[in-house]
Amino acid sequence: MNKQIDQRAADNIRALAVAMVEKAKSGHPGGPMGGGDFMHILYSEFFNYDPTDMEWAFRDRFFMDAGHLSTLMYAQYYLLGNYAKDDVANFRQWGSITPGHPEVDVKRGIENTSGPLGQGHTMGVGAAIAAKFLEARFGDWMNHKIYGFISDGGIQEEISQGAGRIAGHLGLSNFIMFFDSNDIQLSTPTDEVTTEDTAMKYEAWGWNVVTIDGHNHDEIRKALTDANNQTEKPTLIIGKTIMGKGCVTADGSMFEGHCELHGQPIGATGADYAKTLANLGANTESPFDIFDDVQEFYKNLVAEKTAKAAEKKAEIATWRIANEALATKLDFFLSGELPELDFASVEHKAGLATRAASSGILGYLAENVENMIVSSADLSNSDKTDGFLKKTHALKKGDFTGSFLQAGVAELTMACIANGIALHGGIIPVVATFFVFSDYMKPAIRLSGIQELGVKYVWTHDAFRVGEDGPTHQPVEQEAQIRLLEKLKNHSGNPSFLALRPADSAETSVAWKMALENKNTPTGLILSRQGIKDIEPQGASRYEEALAAEKGGYLVKEVENPDVVLIANGSEVATLFAAAEILESKNNLKVNIASVISEGVFRLQSKAYQNSVIPANTPLFGLTAGLPVNLEGLVGANGKVFGLEHFGYSAPASVLDEKFGFTGEKVSNQVLEYLKTV
């Protein structure tokens, strides 16, 4: 412990944060200036990782919630050698690796993408769950910690309730979060928006809570020591800090704790940029330098971290020799590979709801995929994830040998936790709720897509046929919203989401196959509440024919030279069969039917294949239980889509089908009216 170098390092972090924001002419300098002391003590004395192997699976992990404090991370990791001087000098610029809000970059220490407040620490909770899950299977040596960093805004975001409740309920003693409590937010002091007692709130959720002076290194050190020794509860360290710590005016007087220091360069406030740099010990002519003594300290520190990691790796190597079978299994989990799976072996009764077909598949997966955590937002017996639960048991405090997370009524929290599980690695996360409640999950779904995470979303009760529950529970516009993500590319140039709405049990099996094999983007399975008549196989095996759904769309009914091609997905495919029977028997028309489980995947196929399924020179009619836009891109300008353009009503599903026009007879009439126009 060297008080002088500790202070110098913290001031160096502050100076770098100030300089980055000033040069970029945008950013948030005040918060990083307050958090510099905690970051330095954490990384210099507590954080375990291997500087030569940043992706080491058994490293500690740091999850930033307050993404606007990205300069705090970049400055700290610059001291550790993860960034170059030019990197921090080009903060927020095109092509730089230091974006305004941090984006996943594990090789440089960035474990999660953050920005929307509340999600970052909730992903940390997910990572802590993943670590406990693996520790329960492979031994107490897997004792790495998950650290979170949250601000006043993150504490206020509603998601913090779900994260706090679940972390406390599960006793995530491996999760340690620092709350940078400076009482200032972007527009106001916090006392203008809240009077809650944060410590009491977290204590009520079952957390260990300690309040410290966030600039006192001895208090930070003791809090982190006690938190690392905690075996029963997650820990919240409330660090009382000063916004813009170290800022001074042109005459050298202090200018700290002011609201305007939060979200703009300090040169645009009452503080003086050059005088503040000088006050922090920085070279005003070269503000992106690491102080000489700090650089020497961190050079030695990196060597110490490397040596300590080598000791841990030697311990793990000894465990591997004594536990060869477990070691092989662990490596397989961490590889992201799948075991051999035979989806064709999952038998389905006739006419199942696709949620029920999914339940049978989940039961099969529970017995064959050991590194999967399935979660439901208090709906496991309705979204039918209980098919998985019946083969395992729920995670609970002191017992992480199960594989099911009962999240309670917290859809957004659950989805963020799944992102954290995926970020940790080694585990496949699945989350489920009603499709209409995907609205609560959208921010996390979006971050799943941005971070390219293989989270599996299961959404049931996929249409107005929820019936008696009425419009609040009947998704109409949700499919259109989700399918927009299939049109949006991630930074790897691929569709950011895979949305799958299967037409029957066989397609549900194929959809699950596609979901599990889709490892680098999130997948959504959109499943029916009501039973659906199975598509009749044209050959010996309906499953083998349904494998064509892996191309996004295919013909489930095919004749030569059709008069019209009918297009749908999900339960509407069965309705098209009923309509086609009428059109053929009563109107002597030749009809093809296309089941397009995913337009996104379908559009990735060759033009020749797309035209073989949906020919451009043939009348095209689409049927959807959602907004017509779901299929308008497939039928084109000359086609017609019959869909729902209003909210639903409370009535039995069969009544709604009749009232809304979703029967074979009414759809056949719609097709005939359309054909009169072409």
Side-chain angles (χ1 to χ4, degrees), residues 367-414:
E367 296 177 327
N368 290 277
V369 182
E370 296 182 64
N371 60 326
M372 179 181 283
I373 294 178
V374 176
S375 184
S376 178
D378 192 41
L379 289 171
S380 56
N381 52 348
S382 288
D383 58 36
K384 296 304 179 185
T385 49
D386 59 357
F388 189 93
L389 178 57
K390 289 172 184 175
K391 303 291 180 68
T392 181
H393 58 274
L395 304 173
K396 59 183 180 181
K397 183 175 182 178
D399 180 8
F400 281 76
T401 59
S403 300
F404 199 94
L405 174 61
Q406 292 285 19
V409 185
E411 295 86 357
L412 175 58
T413 300
M414 176 180 68

Side-chain angles (χ1 to χ4, degrees), residues 15-16 23 35 39 42 51 105 178 188 217 227 255 265 303 330 338 343 361 376 409 418 422 443 580-581 599 617 636:
L16 288 165
K23 184 172 184 290
M39 287 292 277
L42 171 65
D105 188 352
F178 180 76
T188 66
H217 295 179
F255 189 83
L330 176 58
L338 294 169
F343 288 95
I361 297 161
S376 178
V409 185
E581 184 177 350
E599 182 182 354
N617 58 352

Side-chain angles (χ1 to χ4, degrees), residues 80-95:
L80 288 163
N82 295 1
Y83 289 94
K85 185 175 181 179
D86 284 347
D87 297 329
V88 294
N90 285 301
F91 172 61
R92 287 186 170 226
Q93 304 310 301
W94 175 262

Side-chain angles (χ1 to χ4, degrees), residues 23 292 332 339 419 601 664:
K23 184 172 184 290
D292 289 342
F332 184 74
N419 285 342
V601 174

Side-chain angles (χ1 to χ4, degrees), residues 23 49 51 68 73 200 313 327 342 379 412 461-462 615 640 646:
K23 184 172 184 290
Y49 76 108
H68 58 286
M73 303 176 73
M200 289 183 67
K313 288 183 175 182
D342 182 9
L379 289 171
L412 175 58
H461 298 56
D462 67 340
K640 175 177 174 57
H646 54 78

Side-chain angles (χ1 to χ4, degrees), residues 502-567:
D504 64 359
S505 294
E507 277 194 18
T508 305
S509 292
V510 174
W512 265 111
K513 179 177 184 290
M514 295 172 70
L516 286 172
E517 292 174 354
N518 183 37
K519 300 173 185 176
N520 297 318
T521 55
T523 303
L525 282 76
I526 305 169
L527 307 173
S528 74
R529 175 182 187 245
Q530 80 285 358
I532 299 174
K533 185 177 180 180
D534 294 302
I535 296 170
E536 291 294 329
Q538 299 182 46
S541 169
R542 170 66 189 128
Y543 175 78
E544 290 299 321
E545 292 170 9
L547 285 171
E550 292 183 303
K551 292 185 176 181
Y554 67 112
L555 290 173
V556 292
K557 180 182 180 303
E558 183 176 9
V559 298
E560 290 188 9
N561 302 315
D563 296 307
V564 65
V565 177
L566 309 181
I567 304 165

